[in-house]
Amino acid sequence: MTATPTHVYVVTHSATQVGKVGIADLDSSRIAHHRSQGWHLYRAVLLPSREAARQVERSVFRQLKADGVSARMPADRMPQGGQSETVNLDEVPAADLWDRVVAAAGEVQAQADTSRVVLFLARMDGARVLVVGTDEPLGPSKGSPECALGEELAAEGWLVHAANMTATAADAALRGLRKWADTAGVTESEEMRTADWPVPLLRNRYELKGPVDEEFRQARIAVGVPLYPIFDDAPDENDD
């Protein structure tokens, strides 16, 4: 599953002097629904994933709650829903509400850029199976492929390539791999997700269709970042 870019928006209702912070996917009609009820779009910012947008929204409302802001639009005035995310613009002007969104978005992005994970690709010899995902690094070194899950797979006979990187870079690398899989006709046979991973990335298993060695090489190229072998003295082919 690819991360879905998502807007965090501020809309205002001039007749009632109420403002609202919300989130909306790129193809969502959410903002249009607000407009149909007399709301106006003040501003919106696009975040790289729905989870990041949700973090920004939650952060803003934690701040508002801490500041004692609790005014809400009556439910019967918002048939489109979302009244629990509204505030009185006399207390928090639209510009102030937007500034809170921008500040929270900056914090979320900074956290994503500094949290390090290990992206790994592993192929089981003798089987047309490719596993890809992320894990927490065992150490702080920049280029080392140290990760618990990758080393476990290597010990079990998997051919594993990995590298430390930021969560944001790993997310982009996985998008590149999934795009390649779609183009090459490589199908995802099973998807595994655990809620306690350090970032909202998926660990996926693919069925390779063509020559296994060649498709594994192509998969490593598709992620767009250098990967290093774990428990393998062979040179990395990802340089061509």
Side-chain angles (χ1 to χ4, degrees):
M1 182 182 297
T2 304
T4 304
T6 303
H7 283 110
V8 181
Y9 63 83
V10 172
V11 291
T12 61
H13 195 276
S14 57
T16 57
Q17 278 298 290
V18 170
K20 169 180 166 56
V21 175
I23 67 173
D25 296 340
L26 281 175
D27 57 354
S28 170
S29 58
R30 183 64 174 159
I31 295 175
H33 287 165
H34 289 311
R35 284 173 166 161
S36 70
Q37 298 297 321
W39 294 75
H40 302 277
L41 177 64
Y42 182 78
R43 285 186 184 176
V45 61
L46 187 64
L47 276 293
S49 69
R50 186 174 182 82
E51 177 60 26
R54 183 68 70 188
Q55 289 179 37
V56 170
E57 183 186 48
R58 289 171 179 165
S59 176
V60 170
F61 279 96
R62 280 197 300 269
Q63 296 172 29
L64 293 171
K65 183 177 180 180
D67 291 344
V69 178
S70 59
R72 296 177 179 177
M73 175 79 91
D76 60 359
R77 298 293 299 272
M78 290 193 72
Q80 76 275 28
Q83 65 274 4
S84 64
E85 299 157 352
T86 59
V87 298
N88 190 327
L89 292 177
D90 290 333
E91 289 186 75
V92 185
D96 184 358
L97 203 55
W98 178 248
D99 286 345
R100 292 171 187 256
V101 168
V102 172
E107 291 175 3
V108 168
Q109 189 61 43
Q111 183 178 7
D113 287 342
T114 57
S115 60
R116 303 195 76 74
V117 298
V118 173
L119 176 73
F120 67 87
L121 274 74
R123 177 176 67 80
M124 172 60 80
D125 288 335
R128 294 179 178 277
V129 177
L130 172 70
V131 174
V132 57
T134 60
D135 195 15
E136 293 187 58
L138 298 180
S141 52
K142 293 182 179 180
S144 71
E146 299 171 333
C147 68
L149 188 54
E151 291 185 356
E152 289 176 10
L153 288 171
E156 294 173 1
W158 292 73
L159 180 63
V160 184
H161 284 69
N164 284 329
M165 62 190 67
T166 66
T168 301
D171 194 11
L174 285 181
R175 287 199 298 271
L177 179 80
R178 290 170 186 140
K179 182 177 180 180
W180 163 78
D182 289 341
T183 302
V186 175
T187 58
E188 187 176 37
S189 61
E190 184 179 354
E191 181 180 282
M192 299 167 287
R193 183 188 301 194
T194 56
D196 58 347
W197 278 28
V199 289
L201 301 180
L202 302 180
R203 185 170 36 153
N204 302 327
R205 187 160 64 195
Y206 292 89
E207 295 180 0
L208 301 178
K209 299 298 183 182
V212 176
D213 289 337
E214 174 60 19
E215 287 201 333
F216 185 54
R217 186 184 74 87
Q218 291 178 9
R220 285 160 40 216
I221 293 174
V223 299
V225 292
L227 298 177
Y228 306 92
I230 294 180
F231 296 169
D232 185 354
D233 295 329
D236 190 358
E237 302 169 5
N238 205 24
D239 296 329
D240 57 2

